[in-house]
């Protein structure tokens, strides 16, 4: 039996450089011609993907020598947990038993990361606010409106009413 390993690793096609939560990722992984054909698999952030996200394609014979190419699609809806520090890694692995192992990985960014500095600055401002302002930010707006009146009422009560000593 003649074995021919691929000339180069698998190629990933169809991806975007950025995704938002809710977007659909549709990418394909294609092996180089080999004999026997490569077995392909996908990983997201180093974890194997669910079979329901895989799109199987028939192998393709590319020449008279019987060399074959494999193609495996990956399709899934992006969720927040797919991004690790604003980054998602999509990796395709091509393998022929113990004879050959190559992979290709693409890193895609979250569109959300670009808006993060504005969110961080708001949080920073809130953290530097006074204790009362920080506490009131968690209260319903009707209670926040009453706080100055309650404060004055308590202050007035302490100064005018006699105390039992």
């Amino acid at each position: 039996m003649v074995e021919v390993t691929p000339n180069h690793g698998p190629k990933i096609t169809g991806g975007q450089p950025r995704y938002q939560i809710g977007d659909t990722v549709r990418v394909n992984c294609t092996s180089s011609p080999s004999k026997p054909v490569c077995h392909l698999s996908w990983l997201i952030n180093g974890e194997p993907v669910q079979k329901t996200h895989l799109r199987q394609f028939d192998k393709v014979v590319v020449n008279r020598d019987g060399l074959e190419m494999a193609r495996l699609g990956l399709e899934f809806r992006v969720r927040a947990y797919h991004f690790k520090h604003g980054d998602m890694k999509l990796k395709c692995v091509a393998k022929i038993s113990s004879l050959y192992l190559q992979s290709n990985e693409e890193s895609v960014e979250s569109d959300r990361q670009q808006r993060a500095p504005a969110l961080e600055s708001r949080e920073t401002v809130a953290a530097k606010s006074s204790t009362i302002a920080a506490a009131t930010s968690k209260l319903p707006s009707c209670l926040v409106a009453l706080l100055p009146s309650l404060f004055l009422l308590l202050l007035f009560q302490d100064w005018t009413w006699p105390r039992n000593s």
Side-chain angles (χ1 to χ4, degrees), residues 103-152:
S103 65
N104 187 5
E105 184 174 83
E106 286 195 3
S107 182
V108 294
E109 295 177 353
S110 166
D111 272 348
R112 191 174 170 186
Q113 185 178 14
Q114 303 232 333
R115 292 187 292 271
L119 293 175
E120 286 176 350
S121 66
R122 277 190 222 148
E123 290 174 10
T124 303
V125 170
K128 292 179 182 175
S129 299
S130 69
T131 306
I132 293 173
T136 59
S137 67
K138 294 184 168 94
L139 295 173
S141 59
C142 61
L143 288 178
V144 172
L146 291 174
L147 280 176
S149 300
L150 289 172
F151 182 76
L152 288 175

